[in-house]
Amino acid sequence: MNKRVLVFLVVLHAHVAGVQASLCRADTTVRTVEEYNGIRYTVQLQKDEIGNPAMYHAYVFTPVCEDDLCKPVYIHLYWDLLGNYLRYEVPLDQPLTKMDHVVFTPGDYDKLHSVLQDSESLLKDYQIEELVESTTNARPGGDVDGITGATAKSLQAVVIPGALYTCYTLWHIVHGRVQDTIASVMDSLVSPALLSFFLRSGNYRYQHYALDRLMDGQGDVVQGFEADVVKLIASPNVFLAQRVLKTIAPNYLRSAERQAWLGHLFVGAHYRLQLQMLDKLQGIPLEQGLKSILEAHRQDSNEEIAHKIEQLLNKKT
């Protein structure tokens, strides 16, 4: 197999897997971004096949060092609707390279994806001048492209040997001013339909974003979104589930139907969520169906859960 084709297939397999596979089309929402080092590019909203906002895309050209030891980078970058990095793609005829024009290996492509995914990377704490010696003095075939001795050990885990400039430059683009640009566009896109999609998406970032706009300080939910917000108590993301359970007003959990659902959810819930559910129910009159579920579960629970259930069942209403 042609080496270029192999590189392309590796990138495509490694960095498109797990991302929504539906075809996207460009939207008219385009913004120009000027990054910290003067790099300019346009970021464009893409929509799915039925016209819903899906992600943002930018085609970026950038030099990654100041001499001819490194080839420039041509790369497609993708972010979600809140500006979180999703993936990258490399043109078939422009593979990424390390020092002395050594082409990235499949492992290098995987490592770059991991580097770009890490929003808290050590790379954010440094200027490039602090990390490198001038590449004009670098030895051809050197092990690492100019990482200084003081920082080499801590940075080896977060960069690709021979591609520090590439990792640094792309990380600061992916997590740079584009995120503010996307946030400003997002504010103009918010609609009931989009917030409903966010709540049902299974993406905890989208769900938190929607909750910030649909629940007030008293735990009241914007009319029409009540059912979808309550369902987040069953989220596999326990932190999201706890947030909703803690903040939602008790009146949304009073109906017999909701309490029956809570009871079945309680039986298989995470231990911390069980404790929080029992605390929440202290302020809500219990329906008989929920009481029966709790009583049956009490006998199989540990001492702490059993004690809380007993308190709850014996409380005066």
Side-chain angles (χ1 to χ4, degrees):
M1 180 179 289
N2 181 286
K3 188 173 183 180
R4 287 184 176 180
V5 175
L6 175 61
V7 169
F8 177 75
L9 292 177
V10 168
V11 173
L12 203 61
H13 173 74
H15 306 301
V16 179
V19 181
Q20 182 179 0
S22 59
L23 295 175
C24 293
R25 56 184 176 83
D27 184 71
T28 55
T29 305
V30 179
R31 296 289 188 276
T32 299
V33 181
E34 184 167 347
E35 284 295 351
Y36 70 101
N37 57 357
I39 296 170
R40 289 172 61 89
Y41 58 90
T42 58
V43 61
Q44 186 168 34
L45 176 67
Q46 294 194 323
K47 293 187 175 183
D48 63 21
E49 70 279 6
I50 60 173
N52 295 319
M55 67 185 73
Y56 289 89
H57 164 260
Y59 176 63
V60 177
F61 159 75
T62 175
V64 292
C65 61
E66 299 175 352
D67 48 53
D68 61 359
L69 291 178
C70 314
K71 287 186 177 180
V73 165
Y74 301 84
I75 192 167
H76 295 272
L77 297 170
Y78 296 87
W79 296 263
D80 72 11
L81 296 176
L82 301 181
N84 301 293
Y85 164 77
L86 288 176
R87 71 180 194 268
Y88 73 86
E89 294 172 0
V90 177
L92 180 62
D93 59 346
Q94 296 289 347
L96 298 180
T97 61
K98 296 180 281 190
M99 284 191 68
D100 303 317
H101 311 317
V102 175
V103 175
F104 269 34
T105 67
D108 292 331
Y109 282 111
D110 287 337
K111 180 65 178 288
L112 180 60
H113 182 57
S114 297
V115 169
L116 298 182
Q117 278 185 312
D118 182 7
S119 61
E120 297 301 317
S121 171
L122 291 174
L123 293 172
K124 75 176 182 177
D125 297 323
Y126 293 93
Q127 299 294 320
I128 190 64
E129 295 81 7
E130 297 177 88
L131 302 181
V132 300
E133 301 163 349
S134 172
T135 53
T136 58
N137 298 320
R139 299 190 313 274
D143 293 332
V144 182
D145 58 332
I147 298 179
T148 61
T151 58
K153 187 170 293 186
S154 59
L155 285 172
Q156 282 174 356
V158 298
V159 298
I160 298 166
L164 170 62
Y165 272 108
T166 298
C167 293
Y168 183 92
T169 301
L170 292 179
W171 189 93
H172 280 273
I173 290 173
V174 163
H175 298 283
R177 294 174 182 171
V178 66
Q179 294 188 326
D180 292 333
T181 300
I182 290 174
S184 68
V185 176
M186 188 66 228
D187 289 340
S188 70
L189 293 177
V190 173
S191 67
L194 187 62
L195 292 175
S196 179
F197 164 71
F198 275 13
L199 288 176
R200 301 176 185 184
S201 67
N203 182 320
Y204 73 91
R205 291 190 177 100
Y206 287 177
Q207 291 165 326
H208 279 295
Y209 181 93
L211 289 175
D212 288 342
R213 286 149 184 80
L214 294 173
M215 292 181 69
D216 64 19
Q218 286 70 50
D220 291 318
V221 181
V222 173
Q223 187 173 4
F225 293 92
E226 301 94 330
D228 283 336
V229 169
V230 170
K231 286 178 183 177
L232 294 182
I233 299 173
S235 170
N237 185 302
V238 69
F239 300 105
L240 178 69
Q242 286 183 300
R243 174 187 177 180
V244 176
L245 186 60
K246 179 180 179 180
T247 56
I248 198 166
N251 58 289
Y252 295 105
L253 305 177
R254 289 177 181 269
S255 71
E257 181 182 2
R258 286 267 168 83
Q259 290 195 15
W261 175 77
L262 278 176
H264 292 293
L265 177 62
F266 175 85
V267 173
H270 187 283
Y271 182 71
R272 286 187 296 170
L273 191 62
Q274 286 185 327
L275 293 174
Q276 192 171 334
M277 290 175 72
L278 294 173
D279 289 339
K280 186 76 173 186
L281 291 171
Q282 287 288 345
I284 303 172
L286 300 188
E287 296 290 332
Q288 185 57 49
L290 178 55
K291 288 182 178 180
S292 298
I293 292 173
L294 293 175
E295 176 59 38
H297 188 72
R298 181 178 67 85
Q299 301 174 29
D300 299 322
S301 300
N302 65 25
E303 184 176 351
E304 184 177 18
I305 293 289
H307 178 66
K308 282 182 172 290
I309 291 176
E310 186 175 2
Q311 285 184 317
L312 188 60
L313 294 177
N314 292 335
K315 72 174 184 177
K316 295 181 180 180
T317 56

